[in-house]
Structure formats: structure tokens, C-alpha cells
Amino acid sequence: MKNKPISNNNKIKFYHKLINNEVIYSKNSINRYDKMNSKSGNSLNNKVEELEKLRKKINSIKNCELKKSANNIVFSDGNLNSKIMIIGEGPGANEDKEGKPFVGRAGKLLDKMLESIKLHRKNVYITNVVNFRPPMNRRPTDEEIKRYLPFLTRHIELINPKVLLLLGSTALNAVIGDEMVISKARGRWERKKIGNIVTNAIASFHPAFLMRQPDQKKYAWEDLKMVRKKILDLKINLNVE
Ligand code: URA
């Protein structure tokens, strides 16, 4: 049997492995061995890989009523390097069709809410408590929420947000606690350990609820201002790649 020719790049990788060197391989002729940047480069690659692993794991869930009737997994949208993470309840019809969270009417309102505090999707990372559309847009059951919670926890660990905005009672109850009522718990910062990270969590009303109850928007506005202030206080960089 003929041996496969070894590419130059693979040879270099092999020899550097032998001497246990950390290098980054790039097609660019300069900075081929960028030891200074190798750490951040590696951790970004790891994050992308780990997120993809998580997506695949969720997508291979068995015997799930949500997945059975859904067209697409709805994993996330936004910037995976953002330190601001937003969690909704679960995909609706438009999200199920496009495979992206918050693209329907509630999503348009969410975009406006973000804009009101000078944010855009490219500055935040968005996901949901469950990743498949519940049939007839029903609320996910407690069992379903429990089943998806380890995925959500891992998702939060991977993004490692400094600010976590929970939209609506499903996200509030899944992440902070079952006993909380959104009308009472909203608009309060909570230092919260989630998996192996600690973050600043705040709950607010879900945009779909605000469309039904527009008089409650004034409270959502108070919450959004708190988010803006936290971003400034923590000096969160919004212009992440
Ligand atoms: N409502 C949610 O909670 N999530 C979406 O992605 C869309 C609507």
C-alpha cells in the first residue's frame, strides 16, 4: 500500500508537537507562528467547537415531543464573543422555519428594545430555554424545561456572560428558580452561579407579553436602563469580533 504524502504543514505540526511547542498555523506568510495570540486563538476555536458539539447533542435528543413536531433546531443568534446573553422561552413558527431565535414579531420588538439601549444583535448573544418549537406555541412543560436545562447551563458556561437577561417567566423560572413570579422578580440584579460560571442575571418581561400588554412596557424600559447601566459599570466591550 502506498503511503499518503505528508503535507508541509502537517510535517511542521508534527515536529512542533514533538517539542511540545504551542503554535498557530495560518495561511498568511507573516505571523505564521504567533505564540502571543495562540491562547486566544485556541480558546475561540474551542468555543466554536464546543458550541457546535452542544448543538449536535441537542439535535440528537430522542423521544422529545418538541423535536418530533419541529422543522429545525433553533440554537442561537448574535455574537458568540458577547458578554451579554439573552434567553427567551422557545421558538415560534417563524423561528422554527428559519432556525434562528426571535425573528418573528416578538423578535422585531426585541430588536427595538435592544436599540433603545444602543444595542444590536451583533453586540449580544441570544438563545432560548428550549431549542425546538413547542407544538401550537404552548409553553414548554416542566419536564421539557428540566430536560433542556443541562443544555442551557452548558450554553451559558460556554458564552460566560457578564450580563444575563432573562425574558419572561419561563427563562426566569428555569435559570433563577421555580418559585419566582416575573412581575415581582423583574428589574433586580441577582449574582448567580450557573454551572461553573458566575454571572449577573436580571429578568424582564418577554416581548410577546409586552405586545399583549403594552402598558407594561414602562417596566421593561426600567429594566433595560438597568442593563445599560450594568454594561457601562462593568465596562463591557460591545465591539467584540
Ligand atoms: N419567543 C421566544 O421566547 N423565543 C423566540 O425565539 C421567539 C419568540
Side-chain angles (χ1 to χ4, degrees), residues 1-226:
M1 211 169 66
K2 251 187 177 177
N3 282 339
K4 266 194 190 161
I6 305 169
S7 73
N8 265 350
N9 223 359
N10 280 345
K11 264 187 213 159
I12 296 167
K13 277 187 197 170
F14 175 70
Y15 289 122
H16 278 269
K17 235 187 197 163
L18 281 182
I19 58 171
N20 209 14
N21 206 353
E22 266 187 82
V23 287
I24 270 218
Y25 295 88
S26 152
K27 288 202 170 73
N28 301 333
S29 54
I30 51 166
N31 274 347
R32 189 179 289 272
Y33 309 114
D34 190 352
K35 207 162 170 28
M36 288 289 285
N37 291 331
S38 67
K39 212 158 181 222
S40 56
N42 283 342
S43 67
L44 176 60
N45 283 346
N46 275 349
K47 196 195 252 186
V48 173
E49 274 170 27
E50 290 299 315
L51 284 168
E52 183 51 22
K53 253 196 231 165
L54 177 63
R55 200 186 64 79
K56 282 190 178 148
K57 206 166 171 187
I58 298 171
N59 213 14
S60 64
I61 194 167
K62 297 278 181 299
N63 302 319
C64 169
E65 287 306 308
L66 305 182
K67 190 187 172 190
K68 271 183 204 160
S69 58
N71 289 302
N72 280 304
I73 183 172
V74 177
F75 187 66
S76 68
D77 192 22
N79 189 331
L80 58 89
N81 289 318
S82 174
K83 288 290 154 201
I84 305 157
M85 187 170 186
I86 299 174
I87 302 178
E89 178 177 294
N94 294 295
E95 290 77 18
D96 179 48
K97 205 154 120 198
E98 288 194 32
K100 248 194 203 181
F102 283 101
V103 291
R105 282 178 51 210
K108 299 279 170 295
L109 178 54
L110 175 61
D111 287 343
K112 280 191 186 161
M113 290 160 71
L114 293 175
E115 209 182 306
S116 74
I117 51 165
K118 302 188 178 75
L119 292 179
H120 184 270
R121 277 184 193 233
K122 67 175 189 272
N123 310 121
V124 300
Y125 186 85
I126 307 173
T127 190
N128 282 307
V129 172
V130 297
N131 304 94
F132 293 101
R133 180 194 182 196
M136 315 293 290
N137 291 343
R138 65 164 169 75
R139 190 181 192 269
T141 63
D142 289 349
E143 287 70 36
E144 285 161 349
I145 294 170
K146 230 191 217 163
R147 199 161 173 209
Y148 279 79
L149 194 55
F151 301 136
L152 182 63
T153 302
R154 181 71 186 134
H155 214 154
I156 297 169
E157 283 177 345
L158 289 172
I159 299 303
N160 192 8
K162 289 184 177 158
V163 166
L164 185 64
L165 174 59
L166 305 166
L167 294 176
S169 57
T170 303
L172 167 74
N173 295 151
V175 176
I176 307 275
D178 261 352
E179 68 292 348
M180 324 283 278
V181 179
I182 185 79
S183 54
K184 297 227 170 79
R186 53 147 284 275
R188 275 207 321 251
W189 286 112
E190 179 115 14
R191 264 310 264 175
K192 180 79 188 158
K193 184 167 190 304
I194 302 167
N196 60 21
I197 66 121
V198 178
T199 189
N200 302 289
I202 190 168
S204 189
F205 290 127
H206 192 287
F209 168 79
L210 294 173
M211 289 190 311
R212 294 193 302 272
Q213 306 266 341
D215 56 316
Q216 301 293 303
K217 283 184 182 172
K218 54 183 178 283
Y219 301 114
W221 172 231
E222 294 303 319
D223 306 340
L224 289 167
K225 281 192 291 186
M226 289 177 73

Side-chain angles (χ1 to χ4, degrees), residues 225-236 238:
K225 281 192 291 186
M226 289 177 73
V227 170
R228 183 74 203 165
K229 184 171 183 309
K230 193 62 118 189
I231 290 169
L232 295 174
D233 289 350
L234 296 179
K235 299 188 171 60
I236 293 176
L238 296 177

